[in-house]
Amino acid sequence: MPKRVVYAPDVAIPVKAYSQAIDTGSLVFCSGQLAYDAKNDAVFSESAAEQTDYLMQNIQVILDAAGLQLRDVVKTTIFLTDMNDFVSVNEVYARYFDLDPPARSTIGVNALAKGAKVEIEVIASRT
């Protein structure tokens, strides 16, 4: 199967340099999601925990557009601008992956687009 662009119209439309997700048939690669509210051109909330909740909902919508669910996620990468937010972000994240959570990396970064505190990317599998 050739790669297919996945598009979920309820999630902020990415700039032309990337797609929300790419479906290869067996794997779906979701671009990093921010808690970005496109209607207001702003990041949702000041709290890293609230941003995590908002962006995880966006990830669910994108996976749904690809015909998958969060239980199909096999790998995530979390980017945090402040590692002091690790515990609060992890508490929210764990609610979305309460059974057999995926493999994960968490990386501290200097800054994220739009001034966000958290970005999460996922890889999901059809197997």
Side-chain angles (χ1 to χ4, degrees):
M1 171 181 175
K3 76 177 186 180
R4 176 180 72 89
V5 174
V6 176
Y7 172 69
D10 293 335
V11 176
I13 300 168
V15 295
K16 296 201 181 288
Y18 67 96
S19 300
Q20 287 174 336
I22 295 293
D23 185 345
T24 67
S26 59
L27 296 172
V28 173
F29 297 85
C30 293
S31 294
Q33 292 298 303
L34 305 173
Y36 178 67
D37 177 1
K39 293 175 187 167
N40 296 312
D41 189 29
V43 170
F44 172 81
S45 175
E46 289 296 317
S47 156
E50 290 174 318
Q51 286 186 21
T52 301
D53 190 47
Y54 189 95
L55 71 86
M56 287 301 299
Q57 291 173 44
N58 284 347
I59 290 171
Q60 285 183 309
V61 171
I62 293 168
L63 289 172
D64 186 57
L68 296 170
Q69 298 176 350
L70 284 172
R71 70 173 178 247
D72 299 310
V73 173
V74 295
K75 173 70 169 84
T76 66
T77 305
I78 299 176
F79 302 93
L80 294 175
T81 60
D82 184 347
M83 290 304 284
N84 291 316
D85 291 327
F86 181 87
V87 172
S88 63
V89 166
N90 201 49
E91 287 172 358
V92 174
Y93 173 94
R95 291 196 310 255
Y96 287 90
F97 297 111
D98 60 343
L99 184 64
D100 299 327
R104 181 179 106 183
S105 302
T106 302
I107 302 167
V109 297
N110 216 18
L112 292 168
K114 304 284 186 184
K117 294 181 178 192
V118 184
E119 180 172 348
I120 299 178
E121 64 182 26
V122 305
I123 302 170
S125 174
R126 284 210 162 71
T127 57

